[in-house]
Amino acid sequence: MRIGIIGSGQIGGTLTRRLAALGHRVVVANSRGPETLKELAAATGATAVWAVEAVRDVDLVVVTIPETRIPELPAGLFADAPERLVVVDTGNYYPRQRDGLIAPIEGGLPESVWVEQQLGRPVIKAFNNIHAGHLMDLGQPQGTPGRIALPVAGDDPEAKATVMALVQELGFDPVDAGGLDASWRQQPGTPVYGSDFDAAGVRRALDQASKHRTPEWSAVT
Protein backbone atom coordinates (compact mmCIF):
# COMPACT_ATOMS: atom_id res chain seq x y z
CA MET A 1 0.00 0.00 0.00
CA ARG A 2 1.12 3.58 -0.63
CA ILE A 3 0.92 5.42 2.68
CA GLY A 4 1.50 9.06 3.61
CA ILE A 5 2.21 10.14 7.17
CA ILE A 6 1.88 13.77 8.28
CA GLY A 7 3.67 14.09 11.59
CA SER A 8 6.92 12.50 12.71
CA GLY A 9 6.42 12.50 16.48
CA GLN A 10 6.03 9.40 18.63
CA ILE A 11 3.09 7.84 16.80
CA GLY A 12 4.06 9.18 13.36
CA GLY A 13 7.63 8.01 13.70
CA THR A 14 6.53 4.61 14.99
CA LEU A 15 4.06 4.10 12.15
CA THR A 16 6.71 5.15 9.64
CA ARG A 17 9.08 2.51 11.00
CA ARG A 18 6.50 -0.26 11.33
CA LEU A 19 4.74 0.26 8.02
CA ALA A 20 7.94 0.62 6.02
CA ALA A 21 9.26 -2.57 7.62
CA LEU A 22 6.09 -4.35 6.51
CA GLY A 23 6.85 -3.42 2.91
CA HIS A 24 4.52 -0.48 2.39
CA ARG A 25 5.73 2.49 0.37
CA VAL A 26 5.80 5.25 2.95
CA VAL A 27 6.23 9.00 2.55
CA VAL A 28 6.52 11.11 5.68
CA ALA A 29 6.20 14.86 6.31
CA ASN A 30 6.42 17.23 9.24
CA SER A 31 6.06 20.97 9.77
CA ARG A 32 9.79 21.67 9.48
CA GLY A 33 10.49 20.28 6.03
CA PRO A 34 11.97 17.13 4.46
CA GLU A 35 15.55 18.02 5.33
CA THR A 36 14.74 17.49 9.03
CA LEU A 37 13.58 13.92 8.31
CA LYS A 38 16.77 12.61 6.69
CA GLU A 39 17.65 10.39 9.65
CA LEU A 40 14.18 8.80 9.82
CA ALA A 41 14.14 8.32 6.05
CA ALA A 42 17.59 6.72 6.04
CA ALA A 43 16.67 4.37 8.89
CA THR A 44 13.38 3.22 7.38
CA GLY A 45 13.54 3.61 3.61
CA ALA A 46 10.62 6.04 3.76
CA THR A 47 10.71 9.15 1.58
CA ALA A 48 10.72 12.54 3.28
CA VAL A 49 8.35 15.02 1.63
CA TRP A 50 6.38 18.21 2.24
CA ALA A 51 2.88 17.80 3.70
CA VAL A 52 1.16 18.55 0.39
CA GLU A 53 3.14 15.70 -1.19
CA ALA A 54 2.16 13.24 1.54
CA VAL A 55 -1.43 13.09 0.24
CA ARG A 56 -0.62 12.71 -3.48
CA ASP A 57 -0.48 9.32 -5.17
CA VAL A 58 -1.14 7.46 -1.92
CA ASP A 59 -3.92 5.12 -0.83
CA LEU A 60 -4.02 6.21 2.79
CA VAL A 61 -2.69 9.13 4.81
CA VAL A 62 -2.22 9.27 8.57
CA VAL A 63 -2.57 12.71 10.17
CA THR A 64 -0.76 12.49 13.49
CA ILE A 65 -0.08 16.00 14.77
CA PRO A 66 -1.27 17.94 17.84
CA GLU A 67 -4.90 19.08 17.62
CA THR A 68 -3.84 22.69 17.95
CA ARG A 69 -1.75 22.34 14.76
CA ILE A 70 -4.54 20.94 12.59
CA PRO A 71 -5.72 24.40 11.39
CA GLU A 72 -2.11 25.22 10.45
CA LEU A 73 -1.94 22.52 7.76
CA PRO A 74 -1.52 23.95 4.24
CA ALA A 75 -4.65 25.43 2.67
CA GLY A 76 -5.92 23.14 -0.06
CA LEU A 77 -3.95 20.23 1.33
CA PHE A 78 -6.23 17.69 -0.33
CA ALA A 79 -6.78 19.57 -3.59
CA ASP A 80 -4.70 17.08 -5.59
CA ALA A 81 -5.40 14.05 -3.41
CA PRO A 82 -7.23 10.96 -4.72
CA GLU A 83 -10.99 11.09 -4.23
CA ARG A 84 -11.04 7.81 -2.33
CA LEU A 85 -8.03 8.60 -0.15
CA VAL A 86 -8.42 7.08 3.33
CA VAL A 87 -7.59 9.67 6.01
CA VAL A 88 -6.67 8.40 9.49
CA ASP A 89 -6.68 10.70 12.52
CA THR A 90 -4.60 9.55 15.48
CA GLY A 91 -4.94 12.77 17.45
CA ASN A 92 -5.93 13.46 21.04
CA TYR A 93 -7.02 16.71 22.64
CA TYR A 94 -4.92 17.75 25.64
CA PRO A 95 -6.20 21.18 26.72
CA ARG A 96 -4.05 21.43 29.85
CA GLN A 97 -0.83 19.94 28.63
CA ARG A 98 -0.59 21.21 25.06
CA ASP A 99 -3.54 22.40 22.99
CA GLY A 100 -5.26 25.11 25.00
CA LEU A 101 -9.00 25.46 24.60
CA ILE A 102 -10.73 24.39 21.39
CA ALA A 103 -14.26 25.67 21.87
CA PRO A 104 -16.22 23.12 19.79
CA ILE A 105 -14.49 20.21 21.53
CA GLU A 106 -15.07 21.83 24.91
CA GLY A 107 -18.72 22.05 23.85
CA GLY A 108 -18.90 18.28 23.39
CA LEU A 109 -17.95 17.76 19.74
CA PRO A 110 -15.89 14.56 19.43
CA GLU A 111 -12.27 15.36 18.71
CA SER A 112 -12.11 13.53 15.40
CA VAL A 113 -15.37 15.09 14.19
CA TRP A 114 -13.69 18.46 14.73
CA VAL A 115 -10.61 17.23 12.85
CA GLU A 116 -12.81 16.00 10.00
CA GLN A 117 -14.43 19.44 9.78
CA GLN A 118 -11.04 21.15 9.69
CA LEU A 119 -9.66 18.84 7.01
CA GLY A 120 -12.79 18.81 4.87
CA ARG A 121 -12.36 15.06 4.34
CA PRO A 122 -13.95 12.05 6.07
CA VAL A 123 -11.61 10.58 8.66
CA ILE A 124 -11.18 7.29 10.47
CA LYS A 125 -10.03 7.49 14.10
CA ALA A 126 -7.40 4.91 15.08
CA PHE A 127 -4.05 4.48 16.86
CA ASN A 128 -4.90 7.20 19.39
CA ASN A 129 -5.30 5.05 22.51
CA ILE A 130 -2.03 3.10 22.46
CA HIS A 131 1.40 4.17 23.68
CA ALA A 132 3.91 4.57 20.86
CA GLY A 133 6.32 2.09 22.46
CA HIS A 134 3.59 -0.52 22.65
CA LEU A 135 2.60 0.11 19.04
CA MET A 136 6.24 -0.45 18.13
CA ASP A 137 6.95 -3.55 20.20
CA LEU A 138 3.81 -5.38 21.32
CA GLY A 139 2.20 -6.52 18.07
CA GLN A 140 1.57 -10.28 17.96
CA PRO A 141 0.39 -12.83 15.39
CA GLN A 142 -3.33 -13.18 14.83
CA GLY A 143 -4.86 -15.65 17.26
CA THR A 144 -2.35 -15.03 20.05
CA PRO A 145 -4.19 -15.15 23.41
CA GLY A 146 -4.43 -11.71 25.00
CA ARG A 147 -3.45 -9.94 21.79
CA ILE A 148 -3.88 -6.18 22.22
CA ALA A 149 -6.88 -4.74 20.37
CA LEU A 150 -7.33 -1.23 19.00
CA PRO A 151 -10.66 0.57 18.43
CA VAL A 152 -11.34 1.98 14.97
CA ALA A 153 -14.16 4.50 14.48
CA GLY A 154 -15.52 6.04 11.29
CA ASP A 155 -18.46 6.41 8.97
CA ASP A 156 -17.15 4.98 5.68
CA PRO A 157 -17.33 1.16 5.84
CA GLU A 158 -14.77 0.65 3.07
CA ALA A 159 -12.27 3.09 4.56
CA LYS A 160 -12.79 1.60 8.02
CA ALA A 161 -12.17 -1.89 6.65
CA THR A 162 -8.90 -0.69 5.10
CA VAL A 163 -7.72 0.73 8.43
CA MET A 164 -8.81 -2.35 10.36
CA ALA A 165 -6.82 -4.53 7.95
CA LEU A 166 -3.78 -2.33 8.60
CA VAL A 167 -4.26 -2.68 12.37
CA GLN A 168 -4.36 -6.45 11.88
CA GLU A 169 -1.19 -6.38 9.79
CA LEU A 170 0.60 -4.40 12.51
CA GLY A 171 -0.13 -7.18 15.00
CA PHE A 172 -3.25 -5.98 16.82
CA ASP A 173 -6.91 -7.01 16.81
CA PRO A 174 -9.09 -4.29 15.27
CA VAL A 175 -12.40 -3.54 16.99
CA ASP A 176 -15.14 -1.66 15.16
CA ALA A 177 -15.91 1.24 17.51
CA GLY A 178 -18.87 2.58 15.52
CA GLY A 179 -19.27 5.82 13.62
CA LEU A 180 -17.16 8.92 14.05
CA ASP A 181 -19.80 10.45 16.34
CA ALA A 182 -19.03 7.58 18.73
CA SER A 183 -15.27 8.13 18.62
CA TRP A 184 -15.48 10.07 21.89
CA ARG A 185 -15.50 6.63 23.54
CA GLN A 186 -11.77 6.24 22.79
CA GLN A 187 -10.65 9.77 23.70
CA PRO A 188 -8.35 10.54 26.67
CA GLY A 189 -10.02 9.94 30.01
CA THR A 190 -12.12 7.00 28.79
CA PRO A 191 -11.64 3.39 29.95
CA VAL A 192 -10.07 2.21 26.67
CA TYR A 193 -7.47 4.98 26.54
CA GLY A 194 -3.98 3.56 27.16
CA SER A 195 -5.54 0.26 28.19
CA ASP A 196 -3.83 -2.50 26.15
CA PHE A 197 -7.02 -4.56 26.47
CA ASP A 198 -7.78 -7.54 24.26
CA ALA A 199 -10.76 -7.39 21.90
CA ALA A 200 -13.32 -8.35 24.54
CA GLY A 201 -11.83 -5.84 26.95
CA VAL A 202 -11.91 -3.06 24.36
CA ARG A 203 -15.59 -3.71 23.67
CA ARG A 204 -16.39 -3.62 27.39
CA ALA A 205 -14.40 -0.41 27.84
CA LEU A 206 -16.18 1.28 24.94
CA ASP A 207 -19.52 0.29 26.46
CA GLN A 208 -18.46 1.73 29.82
CA ALA A 209 -17.29 5.09 28.44
CA SER A 210 -18.87 8.29 29.74
CA LYS A 211 -19.05 11.56 27.87
CA HIS A 212 -17.98 13.40 31.01
CA ARG A 213 -14.25 14.11 30.68
CA THR A 214 -12.40 13.29 33.88
CA PRO A 215 -10.73 16.17 35.75
CA GLU A 216 -7.28 14.98 34.69
CA TRP A 217 -8.10 15.84 31.09
CA SER A 218 -10.51 18.71 31.51
CA ALA A 219 -9.60 22.22 30.42
CA VAL A 220 -8.46 24.85 32.89
CA THR A 221 -11.00 27.68 32.88
Side-chain angles (χ1 to χ4, degrees):
M1 188 185 297
R2 300 165 300 175
I3 297 174
I5 298 177
I6 299 177
S8 59
Q10 292 189 35
I11 294 295
T14 297
L15 286 173
T16 298
R17 291 177 173 86
R18 292 290 323 274
L19 294 171
L22 288 169
H24 296 283
R25 193 194 83 183
V26 179
V27 296
V28 58
N30 64 12
S31 61
R32 295 169 293 152
E35 68 280 359
T36 66
L37 293 168
K38 289 180 180 178
E39 185 175 337
L40 180 62
T44 62
T47 302
V49 298
W50 294 100
V52 292
E53 299 173 290
V55 302
R56 295 177 187 162
D57 301 318
V58 296
D59 305 299
L60 178 148
V61 64
V62 181
V63 179
T64 178
I65 63 176
E67 304 293 69
T68 190
R69 304 299 297 273
I70 292 288
E72 299 175 12
L73 287 169
L77 176 63
F78 294 99
D80 297 322
E83 183 178 349
R84 290 297 300 168
L85 175 66
V86 178
V87 181
V88 180
D89 170 39
T90 78
N92 289 308
Y93 174 52
Y94 300 115
R96 283 184 172 182
Q97 297 93 332
R98 183 188 65 197
D99 296 317
L101 298 182
I102 298 176
I105 299 177
E106 287 296 314
L109 191 68
E111 298 164 1
S112 287
V113 174
W114 179 82
V115 171
E116 182 177 81
Q117 293 175 354
Q118 300 303 304
L119 298 181
R121 284 285 185 121
V123 306
I124 304 295
K125 181 151 195 158
F127 304 114
N128 74 295
N129 76 308
I130 185 170
H131 296 291
H134 296 188
L135 181 60
M136 186 71 195
D137 298 328
L138 299 186
Q140 296 177 304
Q142 187 173 1
T144 300
R147 190 188 197 207
I148 294 172
L150 302 180
V152 180
D155 299 324
D156 183 323
E158 185 176 343
K160 187 191 288 186
T162 297
V163 177
M164 292 178 75
L166 203 61
V167 170
Q168 184 76 256
E169 188 178 359
L170 286 163
F172 303 92
D173 284 335
V175 171
D176 190 331
L180 202 64
D181 281 343
S183 64
W184 61 268
R185 299 189 300 165
Q186 63 197 73
Q187 292 174 179
T190 62
V192 80
Y193 182 77
S195 63
D196 287 347
F197 292 141
D198 64 8
V202 165
R203 293 187 183 97
R204 283 194 300 270
L206 292 172
D207 287 343
Q208 292 166 359
S210 167
K211 274 196 172 181
H212 175 70
R213 192 185 301 127
T214 62
E216 180 182 357
W217 302 104
S218 62
V220 177
T221 57

